[in-house]
PDB file of all heavy atoms in Angstrom:
ATOM      1  N   GLU A   3      39.245  17.799  41.473  1.00  0.00           N
ATOM      2  CA  GLU A   3      38.525  17.410  40.256  1.00  0.00           C
ATOM      3  C   GLU A   3      37.366  18.362  39.989  1.00  0.00           C
ATOM      4  O   GLU A   3      36.718  18.866  40.908  1.00  0.00           O
ATOM      5  CB  GLU A   3      38.021  15.976  40.373  1.00  0.00           C
ATOM      6  CG  GLU A   3      37.428  15.440  39.066  1.00  0.00           C
ATOM      7  CD  GLU A   3      37.185  13.949  39.073  1.00  0.00           C
ATOM      8  OE1 GLU A   3      37.598  13.271  40.039  1.00  0.00           O
ATOM      9  OE2 GLU A   3      36.586  13.455  38.101  1.00  0.00           O
ATOM     10  N   ILE A   4      37.098  18.597  38.712  1.00  0.00           N
ATOM     11  CA  ILE A   4      36.014  19.483  38.277  1.00  0.00           C
ATOM     12  C   ILE A   4      34.839  18.633  37.811  1.00  0.00           C
ATOM     13  O   ILE A   4      34.985  17.790  36.919  1.00  0.00           O
ATOM     14  CB  ILE A   4      36.484  20.391  37.126  1.00  0.00           C
ATOM     15  CG1 ILE A   4      37.658  21.269  37.575  1.00  0.00           C
ATOM     16  CG2 ILE A   4      35.338  21.255  36.609  1.00  0.00           C
ATOM     17  CD1 ILE A   4      38.324  22.019  36.442  1.00  0.00           C
ATOM     18  N   GLY A   5      33.674  18.838  38.407  1.00  0.00           N
ATOM     19  CA  GLY A   5      32.471  18.121  38.004  1.00  0.00           C
ATOM     20  C   GLY A   5      31.937  18.625  36.674  1.00  0.00           C
ATOM     21  O   GLY A   5      32.347  19.680  36.170  1.00  0.00           O
ATOM     22  N   ILE A   6      30.973  17.909  36.116  1.00  0.00           N
ATOM     23  CA  ILE A   6      30.497  18.208  34.772  1.00  0.00           C
ATOM     24  C   ILE A   6      29.813  19.573  34.703  1.00  0.00           C
ATOM     25  O   ILE A   6      30.004  20.319  33.730  1.00  0.00           O
ATOM     26  CB  ILE A   6      29.553  17.089  34.257  1.00  0.00           C
ATOM     27  CG1 ILE A   6      29.202  17.315  32.780  1.00  0.00           C
ATOM     28  CG2 ILE A   6      28.304  16.988  35.110  1.00  0.00           C
ATOM     29  CD1 ILE A   6      30.378  17.247  31.850  1.00  0.00           C
ATOM     30  N   GLU A   7      29.043  19.943  35.714  1.00  0.00           N
ATOM     31  CA  GLU A   7      28.371  21.241  35.663  1.00  0.00           C
ATOM     32  C   GLU A   7      29.371  22.385  35.797  1.00  0.00           C
ATOM     33  O   GLU A   7      29.249  23.415  35.125  1.00  0.00           O
ATOM     34  CB  GLU A   7      27.293  21.328  36.751  1.00  0.00           C
ATOM     35  CG  GLU A   7      26.120  20.377  36.530  1.00  0.00           C
ATOM     36  CD  GLU A   7      25.500  20.535  35.149  1.00  0.00           C
ATOM     37  OE1 GLU A   7      25.288  21.688  34.721  1.00  0.00           O
ATOM     38  OE2 GLU A   7      25.214  19.509  34.502  1.00  0.00           O
ATOM     39  N   ALA A   8      30.372  22.200  36.656  1.00  0.00           N
ATOM     40  CA  ALA A   8      31.423  23.215  36.785  1.00  0.00           C
ATOM     41  C   ALA A   8      32.233  23.312  35.494  1.00  0.00           C
ATOM     42  O   ALA A   8      32.622  24.399  35.066  1.00  0.00           O
ATOM     43  CB  ALA A   8      32.338  22.888  37.964  1.00  0.00           C
ATOM     44  N   LEU A   9      32.471  22.160  34.855  1.00  0.00           N
ATOM     45  CA  LEU A   9      33.189  22.141  33.575  1.00  0.00           C
ATOM     46  C   LEU A   9      32.432  22.957  32.531  1.00  0.00           C
ATOM     47  O   LEU A   9      33.023  23.773  31.804  1.00  0.00           O
ATOM     48  CB  LEU A   9      33.347  20.702  33.100  1.00  0.00           C
ATOM     49  CG  LEU A   9      33.951  20.534  31.703  1.00  0.00           C
ATOM     50  CD1 LEU A   9      35.465  20.663  31.771  1.00  0.00           C
ATOM     51  CD2 LEU A   9      33.564  19.198  31.088  1.00  0.00           C
ATOM     52  N   LYS A  10      31.133  22.772  32.459  1.00  0.00           N
ATOM     53  CA  LYS A  10      30.326  23.511  31.484  1.00  0.00           C
ATOM     54  C   LYS A  10      30.357  25.009  31.775  1.00  0.00           C
ATOM     55  O   LYS A  10      30.399  25.820  30.842  1.00  0.00           O
ATOM     56  CB  LYS A  10      28.889  22.985  31.478  1.00  0.00           C
ATOM     57  CG  LYS A  10      28.752  21.595  30.866  1.00  0.00           C
ATOM     58  CD  LYS A  10      27.297  21.144  30.864  1.00  0.00           C
ATOM     59  CE  LYS A  10      27.146  19.776  30.204  1.00  0.00           C
ATOM     60  NZ  LYS A  10      25.733  19.318  30.193  1.00  0.00           N
ATOM     61  N   GLN A  11      30.358  25.375  33.036  1.00  0.00           N
ATOM     62  CA  GLN A  11      30.418  26.790  33.367  1.00  0.00           C
ATOM     63  C   GLN A  11      31.750  27.402  32.952  1.00  0.00           C
ATOM     64  O   GLN A  11      31.804  28.541  32.475  1.00  0.00           O
ATOM     65  CB  GLN A  11      30.177  27.016  34.860  1.00  0.00           C
ATOM     66  CG  GLN A  11      30.022  28.486  35.231  1.00  0.00           C
ATOM     67  CD  GLN A  11      28.894  29.165  34.474  1.00  0.00           C
ATOM     68  OE1 GLN A  11      27.750  28.699  34.505  1.00  0.00           O
ATOM     69  NE2 GLN A  11      29.200  30.272  33.788  1.00  0.00           N
ATOM     70  N   ILE A  12      32.832  26.643  33.100  1.00  0.00           N
ATOM     71  CA  ILE A  12      34.146  27.106  32.630  1.00  0.00           C
ATOM     72  C   ILE A  12      34.107  27.333  31.123  1.00  0.00           C
ATOM     73  O   ILE A  12      34.598  28.341  30.607  1.00  0.00           O
ATOM     74  CB  ILE A  12      35.241  26.086  33.000  1.00  0.00           C
ATOM     75  CG1 ILE A  12      35.413  26.020  34.527  1.00  0.00           C
ATOM     76  CG2 ILE A  12      36.574  26.448  32.335  1.00  0.00           C
ATOM     77  CD1 ILE A  12      36.266  24.856  34.989  1.00  0.00           C
ATOM     78  N   GLN A  13      33.508  26.386  30.395  1.00  0.00           N
ATOM     79  CA  GLN A  13      33.403  26.520  28.945  1.00  0.00           C
ATOM     80  C   GLN A  13      32.541  27.731  28.568  1.00  0.00           C
ATOM     81  O   GLN A  13      32.882  28.469  27.640  1.00  0.00           O
ATOM     82  CB  GLN A  13      32.802  25.245  28.351  1.00  0.00           C
ATOM     83  CG  GLN A  13      33.695  24.030  28.471  1.00  0.00           C
ATOM     84  CD  GLN A  13      32.980  22.737  28.088  1.00  0.00           C
ATOM     85  OE1 GLN A  13      31.749  22.685  28.049  1.00  0.00           O
ATOM     86  NE2 GLN A  13      33.744  21.706  27.812  1.00  0.00           N
ATOM     87  N   LEU A  14      31.443  27.944  29.294  1.00  0.00           N
ATOM     88  CA  LEU A  14      30.568  29.075  28.997  1.00  0.00           C
ATOM     89  C   LEU A  14      31.278  30.405  29.256  1.00  0.00           C
ATOM     90  O   LEU A  14      31.137  31.357  28.468  1.00  0.00           O
ATOM     91  CB  LEU A  14      29.291  28.992  29.831  1.00  0.00           C
ATOM     92  CG  LEU A  14      28.292  27.891  29.429  1.00  0.00           C
ATOM     93  CD1 LEU A  14      27.195  27.768  30.469  1.00  0.00           C
ATOM     94  CD2 LEU A  14      27.704  28.163  28.049  1.00  0.00           C
TER      95      LEU A  14
END
Side-chain angles (χ1 to χ4, degrees):
E3 188 168 353
I4 299 170
I6 187 63
E7 293 306 315
L9 174 81
K10 289 181 178 180
Q11 189 57 55
I12 294 169
Q13 293 170 342
L14 288 170

